[in-house]
Amino acid sequence: MCTYLTSTEKVAGTGLGARGWFPIERAVVYFDHPQEAPVEHALCIDFRAGGDDPSQRVAVELDARSARTLAESILATLAHDEVVALGVN
Amino acid sequence: MSSDKIEAGTITLVSGKGDEIEAYHARPVDAESYGSVVVIHHMPGYDSSTKEIARRFAAHGYGAVVPNLFHRYAPGASAGDGAAAARAAGGVPDAQCIEDVSGAMTFLKAQPGANGKVGVIGYCSGGRQTYLVACNLDVDAAVVCYGGGVVATPDQLTPERPVAVIDMTKDLRCPMLGLFGVNDANPSPEHTARMEEELKAHGKTYRFHTYDDAGHAFFWVERPSYNAEASRQGWHEIWDFYGEHLEG
């Protein structure tokens, strides 16, 4: 199937693209046909810069299980005592 | 021996609203009279697979144009960057899609040897857009390949896609061929049954085929979803359908 399910989050950080590091302002998350990954559907994330250059992005395409594992890993890392102690959450 | 010579390449297309977009044009070089097809690309973009489909139509004696529906979001970008930019912007508005296909139809009709008949075919999101334009433009024959989202609930409507396409069925202006996979979730067999119900209710001419063991995107040769048998049968249906409605 093709989906229009897309969520866009404002994010602050940097991404490493073909021409080096650049600030990223948005993460576009969707579940649909990937461009490259050898699966019918993938959880796709585009970390996008704020300007007009459409190639200023970092794209990942993950199978659903990998995406879930990654999400849990991110949350677990942020919940770790050492991270919580930094007071950054 | 008849000529099988074709010519294909990038062109600039004038949209129905007057601005310019990139497009890919393929045509039979020596044909004296031929029908034409607008090929609407899928959600992953204006890519090499879709251009290959245009060349396939030309090799079978049809003129074909693929308008880059994502051009405005990322002029000159790769298919992947264009698709990502369009998605980040909320997707292609239906009204804009109609204008771009209208421009493609005008271009095709103006080509030397074109017989004035123009069909539309689209895949995936392009299948939905094919249904859309066939209800809004004077298309001669429409082929919907696993178009998801034709049947839409109110919460799925957006400013870009404000009306469920199935609710436009009464305005369908041409015969329709629908090609689907039984294992597809969008459109599911329930969705295609709903489309048939609506087409019948309005007395429209249509043929639907749902292939066993096939899911979504069974024509897409470069992906795991490709289904050789469904694709083979589907192409036969397309040649028969367009032969009936676009030739002469």
Side-chain angles (χ1 to χ4, degrees), chain A residues 1-6 8 26 28-41 46 48 52-57, chain B residues 43-45 73-74 77 79-81 83-85 87-88 124-125 128 146 148-149 161 184-186 216-217 220 223-225:
Chain A
M1 64 176 182
C2 50
T3 78
Y4 292 88
L5 293 174
T6 304
T8 301
R26 286 183 296 164
V28 181
V29 182
Y30 56 98
F31 191 77
D32 210 335
H33 307 300
Q35 295 282 339
E36 189 67 26
V39 293
E40 286 194 33
H41 299 93
D46 274 314
R48 304 184 66 83
D52 294 331
D53 183 351
S55 69
Q56 280 287 66
R57 64 184 185 120
Chain B
M43 192 86 96
Y73 305 96
D81 286 347
R87 185 181 285 269
C124 179
S125 56
R128 176 189 171 279
Y146 34 81
R161 294 172 289 281
D184 198 345
N186 187 15
H216 196 75
W220 197 358
R223 305 297 305 169
S225 57

Side-chain angles (χ1 to χ4, degrees), chain B residues 180-218:
Chain B
F180 308 101
V182 73
N183 297 327
D184 198 345
N186 187 15
S188 67
E190 291 73 26
H191 290 143
T192 60
R194 177 77 190 86
M195 288 183 223
E196 285 205 71
E197 188 181 302
E198 198 70 8
L199 289 161
K200 273 182 197 162
H202 292 288
K204 302 301 180 183
T205 302
Y206 74 96
R207 297 204 292 262
F208 275 16
H209 298 275
T210 299
Y211 297 108
D212 291 338
D213 301 323
H216 196 75
F218 58 78

Side-chain angles (χ1 to χ4, degrees), chain B residues 103-197:
Chain B
M105 291 176 66
T106 300
F107 172 86
L108 285 165
K109 287 180 181 179
Q111 296 311 298
N115 68 6
K117 295 181 181 177
V118 181
V120 176
I121 188 169
Y123 305 80
C124 179
S125 56
R128 176 189 171 279
Q129 288 162 328
T130 294
Y131 204 118
L132 168 78
V133 300
C135 295
N136 286 275
L137 297 173
D138 288 326
V139 175
D140 291 295
V143 181
V144 173
C145 301
Y146 34 81
V150 171
V151 179
T153 54
D155 63 299
Q156 293 172 314
L157 303 179
T158 65
E160 291 80 15
R161 294 172 289 281
V163 178
V165 174
I166 193 165
D167 292 336
M168 302 177 185
T169 303
K170 67 178 189 313
D171 298 320
L172 180 66
R173 304 181 189 184
C174 66
M176 178 179 286
L177 172 66
L179 303 173
F180 308 101
V182 73
N183 297 327
D184 198 345
N186 187 15
S188 67
E190 291 73 26
H191 290 143
T192 60
R194 177 77 190 86
M195 288 183 223
E196 285 205 71
E197 188 181 302

